[in-house]
Amino acid sequence: MSDFELPPEPGSTRLVATLTVAGLLAGLLLASTYALTLPAIEANAAAALQRAVFQVVPGTTAMRKLVLTGGRFVPADGSEAKDAVAVYAAYGDGGRFLGYAIPGQGPGFQDTIKLLFGYDPQRELVVGMQVLDSRETPGLGDKIFKDPAFAREFAALAVRPEAVVVKHGTGTLPNQVDGITGATISSKAVVRIVNERCAGLLDKLPAAAEVPPAPKEESR
Amino acid sequence: MNAPSSPAEAARLHAEFVKGLWRENPVFVQVLGMCPTLAVTNSAINALAMGAATTAVLACSSLLVSLLGRFIPAQVRISTYVIVIATFVTVVDFVLQAILPDVHKELGAFLALIVVNCLILGRQEAFASKNPPLAAVLDALGMGLGFLFALLCLGATREVLGNGSLFGIDLFGPAFEPWVVMVLPPGGFLMLGLILLLFSWRLQRRAAAAAEEKR
């Protein structure tokens, strides 16, 4: 490109005009694409969340979002602050309350790990866990969501006083999680996120008897 | 865009398309766009998605730059190309989020980084701005598919060796001990180095054979 000879300078008005027009057209195209794709993107995010809730609390057929306002959880009505702490009450057939799906996040090995776990207040057990977003090392740390055996560790996990990670294959007690060989930091990060969330929220969750009833229109 | 008017024209267009696939392959021969080549080729499906996204951006940008090239003053051409490319990258980003959220999640930040893939800017500067739309699009498609092919070669070999699977399908069963290093960043460098070695060895042999023939 060194032999490229610039034609005479066309005057700065023309240069500014060209870039302005290019910017305007680009903005127009982006705004319309955004408007066109936004409904689908939001629907995808909602569907992904619903799938995750249904998975971490086995047997769920309906859910209701609860937000923390003034120290207690109330059904979300759209008026809550955007960053309000939220949990999802999960209901089975016939509107029977099953448990909560609780989102949590914290630092992993490389980047923030976002996850969702199910908690059954009647049995006081974590009943499921799914990693929603992470950038853990491929082949090692990513086993926190690729290895089904690790997910099974959360199928009935005691979290009071807290869950602990032990060397792979040595977990025997209900509050022990078999760590992933080669991904100790990632395994511990997941358990730490679950512990922190439990310590902060479990006492604030409405007791099983006080949970708001299942939403009328059962969405599947 | 008019249909090619003569066989010679058709042959030229065909050549513009084909050159990017192999002879001037953007990765193996021009060694352009190394960031995505190394970063997202840890599985075949990621490589395929990145190649397809890059091809789409490249083709759209080349078409627009070829159509508008003569209205753009030379002093601001690079800035204008970058605006065009960034716009299409963002469009692809939104579209992927809307229709293939899983792929979008896998590619993550690297999707936005298509903007700085020098392959795309390079094609605008070296080809699209000086050629008619049809030739520009064919050149872009050839280069894009060549890029996709190269990424797929790397992605497939790295996934097979590093994870024992191809496109997520387990190949060897539980007895296979994966070479985890192949799906980590060093594996990208190793594999790319090996493939480039193979390419230059082939070129050298061919040059030697041609010299032999002349004598």
Side-chain angles (χ1 to χ4, degrees), chain A residues 7 14 26 41 44 132 137-138, chain B residues 71 73 75 87 94 97-98 105 184:
Chain A
R14 176 124 188 266
I41 292 174
N44 283 341
L132 301 177
T137 320
Chain B
F71 303 113
Q75 286 79 1
T87 308
F94 283 143
Q97 256 186 74
K105 207 171 126 187
L184 299 181

Side-chain angles (χ1 to χ4, degrees), chain A residues 1 4 6-10 14-15 18-19 22 26 29-30 33-34 37 40-41 44 132-133 135 137-140, chain B residues 42 71-77 79-80 83 87-88 90-91 94-95 97-99 101 105 108-109 125 180 183-184:
Chain A
M1 272 173 253
F4 191 90
L6 291 181
E9 185 91 16
R14 176 124 188 266
L15 302 186
T18 310
L19 285 178
L29 184 60
L30 287 185
T33 317
Y34 180 72
T37 51
I41 292 174
N44 283 341
L132 301 177
D133 197 14
R135 295 243 166 281
T137 320
L140 297 169
Chain B
N42 50 24
F71 303 113
I72 302 170
Q75 286 79 1
V76 292
R77 68 189 192 285
S79 341
T80 318
I83 294 177
T87 308
F88 282 118
T90 316
V91 168
F94 283 143
V95 170
Q97 256 186 74
I99 57 177
K105 207 171 126 187
E125 173 73 12
V180 173
V183 287
L184 299 181

Side-chain angles (χ1 to χ4, degrees), chain B:
Chain B
M1 272 184 270
N2 300 322
S5 45
S6 67
E9 175 69 1
R12 199 182 71 85
L13 289 176
H14 180 254
E16 299 296 7
F17 175 68
V18 174
K19 68 177 189 295
L21 298 179
W22 187 254
R23 201 163 46 79
E24 291 180 27
N25 187 291
V27 174
F28 296 148
V29 179
Q30 303 182 58
V31 200
L32 288 175
M34 286 300 105
C35 166
T37 302
L38 293 167
V40 296
T41 54
N42 50 24
S43 74
I45 189 77
N46 284 2
L48 190 67
M50 175 50 93
T54 307
T55 307
V57 171
L58 185 53
C60 294
S61 306
S62 280
L63 176 63
L64 209 63
V65 165
S66 164
L67 284 171
L68 302 179
R70 68 196 126 107
F71 303 113
I72 302 170
Q75 286 79 1
V76 292
R77 68 189 192 285
I78 302 284
S79 341
T80 318
Y81 299 163
V82 172
I83 294 177
V84 169
I85 297 167
T87 308
F88 282 118
V89 168
T90 316
V91 168
V92 167
D93 192 338
F94 283 143
V95 170
L96 269 185
Q97 256 186 74
I99 57 177
L100 293 170
D102 294 337
V103 172
H104 181 267
K105 207 171 126 187
E106 278 292 323
L107 294 181
F110 292 105
L111 203 55
L113 285 174
I114 296 179
V115 178
V116 289
N117 188 333
C118 46
L119 163 66
I120 300 182
L121 193 58
R123 286 334 283 171
Q124 312 312 317
E125 173 73 12
F127 196 91
S129 57
K130 303 171 191 154
N131 283 280
L134 184 60
V137 170
L138 284 174
D139 168 77
L141 285 177
M143 287 292 165
L145 292 176
F147 187 68
L148 189 152
F149 167 70
L151 258 58
L152 200 56
C153 283
L154 274 163
T157 34
R158 287 179 67 189
E159 191 184 341
V160 168
L161 294 176
N163 204 26
S165 62
L166 187 61
F167 287 104
I169 301 159
D170 214 339
L171 292 183
F172 306 119
F176 178 71
E177 181 62 35
W179 311 4
V180 173
V181 67
M182 293 317 285
V183 287
L184 299 181
F189 285 100
L190 284 175
M191 208 61 227
L192 182 67
L194 284 177
I195 294 183
L196 288 180
L197 192 73
L198 203 70
F199 250 77
S200 39
W201 175 70
R202 254 193 80 249
L203 281 180
Q204 234 172 29
R205 254 187 20 158
R206 203 189 273 173
E212 192 73 25
E213 232 164 72
K214 240 180 228 167
R215 219 179 291 153

